[in-house]
Amino acid sequence: MTWLISDGYVRQVTWNEDAELVTLMIWGPGDLILGSQATFECRNEISTISAVSLEGRTATDAEVLESLTRQISRSMEIMRISRIRKADDRLLTMLRWLAAQFGRVNSLGHSLSLEDMNLTHQILAELTGLTRVTVTKSLNKYKTLGQINLMAHGDLLLPHLPGVKATTWGFVLQS
């Protein structure tokens, strides 16, 4: 059995030796959660980060392959971002990635609804391995520097970066 997310956001986490949450995966609308996701032989948990509507269904082989490919790509990107040493860069990169994956694109950049995804400062801290205080300070710094803009209803606008194109798989430099 697989679950199709029609609305909302789900994450899969594990814990490190210091009992800190480590995000393994994030799913959103249109994504499939395969029934075997929670059966790995490591301690992990799948939980919602917002209100979620799921539909149980049987996936085709092609849908399973597409879902696994997307999950591997997302997990690799989450892992890559988590290894960025500078906290400010890590958080901003995570926000840009979340906006590219789950946000909306417009002529000015990507918008990301913190409210829809229920991305509190604490959840952003858990996603990036930072403290809530660091996330709050960094978000205020980004706003002051114009790296993010606050829009209506808790949406953030992450302006396009010159020379960088956001894709569904990550970011690539344009030549």
Side-chain angles (χ1 to χ4, degrees):
M1 175 65 79
T2 59
W3 299 96
L4 174 66
I5 300 174
S6 55
D7 191 36
Y9 299 89
V10 176
R11 70 177 171 167
Q12 183 174 14
V13 298
T14 190
W15 300 265
N16 67 16
E17 60 279 352
D18 297 324
E20 298 168 329
L21 286 179
V22 176
T23 300
L24 301 172
M25 176 57 56
I26 300 171
W27 293 276
D31 286 332
L32 287 176
I33 300 176
L34 305 176
S36 60
Q37 293 291 150
T39 61
F40 296 116
E41 291 188 22
C42 68
R43 53 181 190 224
N44 70 86
E45 177 181 289
I46 295 176
S47 61
T48 63
I49 56 176
S50 70
V52 174
S53 296
L54 299 172
E55 172 189 325
R57 59 183 294 216
T58 303
T60 66
D61 289 344
E63 289 172 323
V64 169
L65 181 59
E66 179 185 341
S67 178
L68 287 172
T69 301
R70 184 175 21 233
Q71 287 179 37
I72 290 168
S73 174
R74 283 186 187 164
S75 288
M76 289 172 56
E77 196 64 14
I78 290 168
M79 196 178 326
R80 184 190 68 77
I81 293 168
S82 74
R83 298 302 302 159
I84 295 173
R85 292 195 188 278
K86 196 171 171 194
D88 281 349
D89 292 343
R90 187 178 335 145
L91 178 59
L92 190 56
T93 302
M94 179 62 79
L95 289 170
R96 289 190 179 285
W97 180 78
L98 287 167
Q101 291 294 305
F102 304 110
R104 293 174 298 283
V105 67
N106 62 42
S107 62
L108 300 174
H110 283 85
S111 65
L112 175 64
S113 176
L114 298 180
E115 186 177 309
D116 287 352
M117 289 188 74
N118 193 32
L119 290 176
T120 63
H121 291 193
Q122 182 61 43
I123 291 176
L124 287 171
E126 292 167 359
L127 287 173
T128 56
L130 302 171
T131 67
R132 186 199 52 75
V133 172
T134 299
V135 167
T136 300
K137 286 179 180 179
S138 294
L139 287 173
N140 289 329
K141 177 182 169 184
Y142 301 151
K143 291 173 193 170
T144 301
L145 295 174
Q147 293 175 306
I148 62 174
N149 300 307
L150 191 57
M151 299 172 61
H153 308 295
D155 288 1
L156 295 180
L157 175 68
L158 294 107
H160 291 300
L161 295 174
V164 177
K165 178 184 176 191
T167 68
T168 56
W169 300 98
F171 299 97
V172 295
L173 293 177
Q174 294 176 322
S175 47

